[in-house]
Amino acid sequence: ASWWWYGMVLCMLMDVISFGDSIADTGNIKYLAAITNQSFPSLFPPYGQTFFHKPTGRCSDGRLIIDFLAESLWLPLVPPYMHEGSGNALKSGYGVNYAVAGATALGSLFLGEEGIQNPVANASLGIELGWFKHSLHSICNNPSGTQKIDLVYGFFFLISLSIIVLVQELIEMGAQTLVVPGNFPIGCSSAYLTVCGSKQEEYDPITGCLVRLNQFVEYHNEQLQMKSNQIRELHPYVNIICANYYNAAMQIYRFPYKFGFTNGALKACCGGGGEFNYNLTTTSGDESATVCDEPSTYVNWDGIHLTEAAYKVIFKGLFRGPYTTPAFSSLCPTLQ
């Protein structure tokens, strides 16, 4: 899964610009599905039931981290790029979201040559960046399409090289401050626990997470930190911050009851049964799938994605809690 990625958000004079996949998509997959005549689980109930009371394309029961960020800045929720009203949002300074569920870091041509097919959406980091460049003049609201970018912020999954290439390109476009989060602890994912778990695996005695996968993520995050340091040396005038997504999420898995997750941290709220309520044949959104009565007491929503309640805790830990940095306060003071 080294070609998956999570997303990126830019805070530009209080605009919020987002790139990514299902962790950040606020509805692009919905509009792409209509164009390509495809069907995706997140387009059906019970997705969206907690906050929106209907599916919006978000892969959760409610809001995502990007939604909580926009709300904390007193901005409307960031509209998807594919929405017909996104042009007006750009002109109004609301920002825009380029993230697409299922998007990959690398392009479909490269993946195809490696024998990897993307069954969800033919979207990638390169395509999303192309959309961004196409609409950059509207975001900046000046003829040259250039403007100081105050904050670049992103979620990425096991793609340090892709991150570095993207960061360098954004610096060339004028980025002054970049915040690059590390990866989530995938060893705690209901899906990975189901697919990769076995009697031969080592499990953390406190969390029940797969040790091997979380060690892999920790190694990835260390490499990402090292690459970020190298860019700092090349561009001393640019402020590059690595956000600690791993620990912001691990606090939940270590102490789920402290945050109100009384049904534990590892079992999915919505799924097709099994030890972690996840299997590959019956996923959330299927008619035969079951859904819990209280999603706010679960960390995991559908085996892969988290509940609104979990995303809210992670957001607070990053922007208002023990895993934030002074840079967030100085760049976006309304986050306090």
Side-chain angles (χ1 to χ4, degrees):
S2 61
W3 44 277
W4 283 26
W5 63 299
Y6 281 145
M8 171 167 287
V9 177
L10 288 73
C11 172
M12 298 168 52
L13 300 181
M14 307 311 279
D15 283 341
V16 177
I17 310 298
S18 172
F19 299 87
D21 66 357
S22 56
I23 303 300
D25 187 0
T26 55
N28 280 311
I29 192 66
K30 176 180 179 181
Y31 298 99
L32 285 175
I35 295 173
T36 59
N37 195 29
Q38 296 185 74
S39 178
F40 303 106
S42 61
L43 306 182
F44 299 94
Y47 285 90
Q49 68 175 28
T50 296
F51 183 80
F52 302 98
H53 308 297
K54 63 178 181 179
T56 63
R58 289 171 173 82
C59 293
S60 181
D61 62 309
R63 290 164 292 183
L64 310 177
I65 294 175
I66 179 67
D67 296 315
F68 290 115
L69 175 62
E71 288 180 348
S72 72
L73 295 169
W74 297 92
L75 294 173
L77 299 185
V78 185
Y81 173 75
M82 297 299 293
H83 187 270
E84 60 183 9
S86 63
N88 293 330
L90 286 169
K91 295 176 182 178
S92 302
Y94 296 162
V96 67
N97 192 346
Y98 302 94
V100 181
T104 57
L106 302 174
S108 58
L109 180 60
F110 175 87
L111 296 176
E113 292 176 348
E114 297 297 319
I116 301 173
Q117 300 298 321
N118 182 359
V120 181
N122 186 26
S124 66
L125 173 59
I127 290 176
E128 293 181 16
L129 277 175
W131 291 345
F132 171 63
K133 292 176 180 178
H134 178 74
S135 53
L136 186 60
H137 67 285
S138 298
I139 298 173
C140 297
N141 198 27
N142 66 60
S144 65
T146 59
Q147 175 174 300
K148 174 184 175 181
I149 300 177
D150 294 316
L151 175 64
V152 177
Y153 174 71
F155 318 64
F156 291 94
F157 183 35
L158 310 179
I159 50 159
S160 292
L161 180 59
S162 298
I163 296 173
I164 298 309
V165 172
L166 175 62
V167 166
Q168 291 174 333
E169 184 169 356
L170 289 170
I171 289 175
E172 293 175 359
M173 294 170 65
Q176 298 295 305
T177 299
L178 302 96
V179 181
V180 183
N183 190 25
F184 290 110
I186 61 173
C188 303
S189 164
S190 306
Y192 281 99
L193 284 164
T194 300
V195 176
C196 301
S198 72
K199 293 182 179 179
Q200 287 71 43
E201 288 286 351
E202 179 183 358
Y203 295 85
D204 186 302
I206 297 176
T207 64
C209 302
L210 286 164
V211 172
R212 174 174 58 91
L213 294 184
N214 280 354
Q215 287 178 339
F216 181 45
V217 171
E218 289 177 342
Y219 174 76
H220 165 266
N221 291 344
E222 291 172 359
Q223 294 299 305
L224 182 61
Q225 178 73 60
M226 181 183 69
K227 293 293 185 180
S228 298
N229 291 338
Q230 292 175 355
I231 295 184
R232 289 190 188 98
E233 294 178 359
L234 294 174
H235 305 279
Y237 58 89
V238 177
N239 187 21
I240 301 174
I241 305 165
C242 288
N244 196 342
Y245 260 69
Y246 184 90
N247 282 339
M250 278 303 296
Q251 64 175 334
I252 300 177
Y253 295 109
R254 293 190 180 106
F255 311 105
Y257 287 89
K258 175 182 176 181
F259 300 100
F261 298 112
T262 54
N263 279 295
L266 304 182
K267 187 175 182 179
C269 167
C270 185
E275 182 180 0
F276 302 103
N277 196 28
Y278 177 85
N279 64 61
L280 296 174
T281 59
T282 305
T283 59
S284 182
D286 292 342
E287 291 184 359
S288 58
T290 60
V291 61
C292 65
D293 293 329
E294 299 179 277
S296 63
T297 63
Y298 286 74
V299 174
N300 199 289
W301 167 245
D302 60 6
I304 299 174
H305 311 97
L306 306 185
T307 60
E308 175 184 278
Y311 284 134
K312 187 173 184 178
V313 172
I314 293 172
F315 166 78
K316 287 183 176 180
L318 284 170
F319 292 94
R320 296 176 177 171
Y323 305 105
T324 190
T325 67
F328 287 121
S329 302
S330 61
L331 289 169
C332 296
T334 56
L335 288 173
Q336 298 299 313

